């Protein structure tokens, strides 16, 4: 096979993404005949047909889908590079692309990232939220600089990465004022039979909470389970049940939502990690986050 012709690859990618040669010709400002001829040459150089003709439409075949997947990664990264340069005033702005696992409370994510915003050097943060495994996939192809997670690098995911502990804190329990009147006294025994909002199965703190309940011999009534921390907080704010959150943000939860901290335990530690493809962190903004986390997340009770 001859050396890959990236111009031909771009024509193919545009046709596949646009849904046909006619639309691609409008985007590329070339005639449909020219594009069809270039794709034919591309297929000849690869030794594979990439499209099947179905009536008047072109549909990707198996080989086409594989080539498109690679092309999409290549040109998406290229577009991100153009965007990063466009938003780099005078060549000075630094970009940080960070993924935040949806099990990480939004307030914790901000607590960690605000130190990067406070840097003297101008910085532009690009934030993505999602499931940890999906974010790690983005990290592996360098679409993200780091992923902030509530657990270390999973052993069962085939991604080369390294986790760096940012910090840990105690766990606090919150309720609306009405619920707090009923369940604050006698904590944690008061949790027995109390309505409780449980983090989803992906949350690293969930098994620690369950072990702690067992140790304290309490059985809360599980009123709901939530993969998304923001949704759990919304239900807690509405009075649907008591919920747990990192003690590092206890003051903010009390102030912003008017909720009551009914108790706290150091037996359930919440941990937060930066996951990167680097064994040693080097990005200036990530180093600022790591340094700030040592002060903000070492002991939750210090910020309560």
């Amino acid at each position: 096979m001859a050396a890959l012709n990236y111009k031909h690859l771009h024509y193919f990618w545009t046709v596949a993404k646009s849904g046909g040669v006619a639309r691609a010709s409008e985007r590329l400002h070339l005639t449909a005949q020219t594009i069809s001829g270039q794709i034919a040459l591309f297929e000849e150089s690869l030794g594979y047909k990439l499209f099947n003709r179905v009536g008047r439409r072109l549909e990707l075949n198996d080989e086409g889908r594989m080539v498109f997947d690679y092309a999409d990664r290549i040109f998406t990264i290229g577009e991100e590079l153009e965007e990063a340069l466009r938003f780099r005033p005078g060549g000075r702005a630094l970009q940080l692309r960070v993924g935040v696992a949806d099990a990480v409370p939004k307030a914790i994510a901000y607590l960690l990232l605000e130190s990067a915003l406070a840097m003297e050097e101008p910085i532009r943060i690009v934030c993505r939220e999602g499931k940890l495994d999906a974010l790690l996939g983005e990290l592996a192809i360098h679409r993200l600089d780091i992923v902030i997670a509530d657990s270390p690098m999973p052993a069962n995911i085939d991604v080369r990465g390294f986790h760096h502990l940012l910090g840990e804190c105690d766990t606090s329990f919150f309720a609306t004022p009405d619920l707090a009147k009923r369940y604050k006294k006698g904590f944690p025994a008061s949790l027995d039979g109390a309505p409780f909002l449980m983090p989803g199965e992906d949350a690293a703190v969930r098994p620690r909470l369950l072990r702690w309940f067992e140790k304290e011999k309490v059985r809360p009534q599980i009123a709901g389970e939530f993969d998304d921390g923001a949704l759990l907080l919304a239900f807690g704010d509405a009075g649907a049940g008591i919920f747990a959150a990192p003690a590092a943000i206890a003051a903010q939860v009390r102030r912003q939502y008017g909720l009551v901290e009914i108790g706290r335990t150091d037996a359930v530690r919440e941990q937060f990690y930066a996951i990167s493809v680097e064994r040693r962190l080097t990005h200036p903004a990530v180093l600022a986050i790591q340094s700030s986390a040592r002060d903000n997340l070492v002991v939750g009770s210090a910020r309560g």
Side-chain angles (χ1 to χ4, degrees):
M1 185 182 81
L4 188 64
N5 187 313
Y6 283 92
K7 181 181 287 188
H8 290 170
L9 180 65
H10 187 254
Y11 292 159
F12 158 77
W13 177 69
T14 305
V15 169
K17 200 169 183 181
S18 303
V21 172
R23 288 182 182 175
S25 68
E26 293 174 4
R27 293 181 63 177
L28 295 170
H29 305 291
L30 295 170
T31 66
Q33 205 171 21
T34 297
I35 293 174
S36 295
Q38 296 296 305
I39 287 179
L41 289 173
F42 184 51
E43 289 177 324
E44 184 180 340
S45 70
L46 293 178
Y48 293 99
K49 287 287 184 182
L50 303 176
F51 293 100
N52 291 329
R53 184 169 289 280
V54 180
R56 295 177 126 187
R57 293 183 297 108
L58 291 175
E59 289 188 355
L60 291 170
N61 57 26
D62 289 342
E63 289 77 15
R65 281 189 288 272
M66 182 187 71
V67 174
F68 177 78
D69 183 53
Y70 279 96
D72 197 44
R73 297 182 203 175
I74 290 169
F75 293 117
T76 298
I77 291 173
E79 289 175 350
E80 289 177 359
L81 172 60
E82 290 178 358
E83 185 180 0
L85 292 172
R86 188 164 60 249
F87 286 95
R88 195 176 172 91
R92 292 190 303 274
L94 182 67
Q95 180 171 264
L96 174 65
R97 302 166 302 169
V98 54
V100 180
D102 52 14
V104 175
K106 307 298 181 292
I108 284 288
Y110 178 75
L111 182 68
L112 293 171
L113 294 175
E114 67 175 341
S115 58
L117 293 171
M119 292 173 59
E120 288 186 13
E121 182 178 3
I123 186 166
R124 178 172 176 248
I125 294 178
V126 179
C127 246
R128 302 279 184 263
E129 185 189 13
K131 294 289 185 185
L132 180 57
D133 55 353
L135 293 174
L136 292 176
E138 296 289 291
L139 181 72
I141 58 174
H142 303 283
R143 287 186 179 177
L144 295 173
D145 297 306
I146 60 161
V147 171
I148 294 177
D150 64 339
S151 62
M153 182 73 194
N156 62 341
I157 293 183
D158 189 21
V159 171
R160 182 178 178 272
F162 303 93
H163 58 259
H164 312 268
L165 180 64
L166 294 173
E168 59 181 353
C169 63
D170 302 345
T171 295
S172 293
F173 295 80
F174 297 92
T176 57
D178 286 343
L179 282 176
K181 288 177 185 176
R182 297 170 55 190
Y183 297 108
K184 185 172 183 178
K185 187 177 180 179
F187 177 90
S190 60
L191 293 178
D192 194 43
F196 191 80
L197 306 177
M198 182 68 74
E201 292 184 355
D202 289 341
V205 75
R206 179 190 172 107
R208 298 173 199 152
L209 280 170
L210 292 173
R211 287 194 297 269
W212 184 70
F213 289 151
E214 186 176 352
K215 179 184 175 185
E216 295 294 330
K217 297 181 172 55
V218 295
R219 287 190 178 183
Q221 177 190 346
I222 306 303
E225 299 186 25
F226 303 86
D227 289 332
D228 185 271
L231 189 58
L232 186 152
L233 179 56
F235 271 74
D237 186 35
I242 299 165
F243 66 94
I249 57 171
Q252 180 181 340
V253 172
R254 294 194 302 264
R255 181 178 62 252
Q256 185 172 345
Y257 298 96
L259 298 172
V260 177
E261 184 179 4
I262 66 169
R264 176 179 301 199
T265 179
D266 60 2
V268 181
R269 300 289 282 175
E270 300 216 38
Q271 299 177 323
F272 300 97
Y273 295 83
I275 300 177
S276 71
V277 294
E278 302 171 312
R279 188 181 296 275
R280 177 174 170 270
L281 296 175
T282 58
H283 194 296
V286 178
L287 292 174
I289 290 169
Q290 187 181 41
S291 176
S292 175
R294 293 193 190 103
D295 298 328
N296 293 322
L297 286 177
V298 175
V299 180
S301 55
R303 290 179 60 87

